[in-house]
Amino acid sequence: MPNNKALTARALLAVVFWPSLFFFWCLGPFVFFLLSTTSSEVCPLLERREQFLTSANGTLPMLVLQNLIYAIPIGCLVLWSWLLPDPTRARHIVTCIKLFVVSAVLGALWEYGSSLVCDGYGQPFFSPAWRMTSYLPIADIVVNLPLYVLVFSLGRTFSTREDEPAQEPGETIS
């Protein structure tokens, strides 16, 4: 039976993990995309390559903050893994970390490229490769689907109490 401190730590991690997973990973992309790209009001006012670069580079702090916030559920999984060591879960967490890094890079490239191209206004100043970043959300979805499933299942496993006896379906606890 796990000790009370470990059980309390697991519960506190669950209190951080589940809201951050749903709010940051499900709702956050919409908000962070708007905050981490050059606004549509600014784009038509930009006229020179340097202005587009300055505007895009101004989004970098928000991209870093966004990825730090998105990493909270992964951090919770790592802490849970320290509390309940299991080699199989540890391998899955390493897979989550790798998928997260790929997803973060794809997302940052997409958002930075969106700021450079700026709804088409900056296209003449930059390589056509930056226009290709508009296809990165497709690749990001391909990476994020297994990441979401794996993180959700690991979170469910870690936040479920293991010290309670298994209950048969239809059976009630007296």
Side-chain angles (χ1 to χ4, degrees):
M1 177 180 260
N3 65 25
N4 284 338
K5 288 182 182 180
L7 197 57
T8 302
R10 286 176 59 194
L12 289 173
L13 283 171
V15 168
V16 172
F17 176 82
W18 289 109
S20 67
L21 183 69
F22 288 111
F23 289 116
F24 297 146
W25 282 23
C26 297
L27 302 175
F30 304 109
V31 173
F32 282 123
F33 181 73
L34 294 174
L35 295 174
S36 62
T37 57
T38 303
S39 72
S40 58
E41 293 85 28
V42 172
C43 289
L45 303 176
L46 303 176
E47 296 176 355
R48 295 187 322 275
R49 184 178 199 275
E50 299 81 35
Q51 291 174 316
F52 282 96
L53 279 172
T54 301
S55 181
N57 290 341
T59 66
L60 291 176
M62 183 57 73
L63 289 173
V64 170
L65 177 65
Q66 171 183 339
N67 284 323
L68 288 174
I69 290 172
Y70 284 165
I72 291 172
I74 302 293
C76 288
L77 291 177
V78 169
L79 292 173
W80 265 326
S81 175
W82 286 342
L83 289 171
L84 295 167
D86 180 358
T88 305
R89 288 181 189 161
R91 283 193 300 274
H92 290 309
I93 292 171
V94 169
T95 301
C96 286
I97 292 169
K98 289 176 183 177
L99 288 171
F100 178 78
V101 168
V102 170
S103 176
V105 168
L106 289 174
L109 281 174
W110 170 47
E111 292 174 20
Y112 187 77
S114 296
S115 291
L116 275 182
V117 176
C118 206
D119 297 330
Y121 292 101
Q123 288 182 9
F125 298 116
F126 302 102
S127 162
W130 283 110
R131 280 184 262 150
M132 297 299 289
T133 60
S134 64
Y135 296 106
L136 287 177
I138 297 167
D140 209 19
I141 287 172
V142 169
V143 173
N144 277 330
L145 285 177
L147 175 63
Y148 288 0
V149 169
L150 191 55
V151 168
F152 182 85
S153 65
L154 282 169
R156 185 172 177 268
T157 302
F158 278 125
S159 61
T160 304
R161 287 182 61 156
E162 295 173 350
D163 60 340
E164 294 178 350
Q167 182 179 352
E168 292 293 322
E171 193 178 305
T172 59
I173 298 177
S174 306

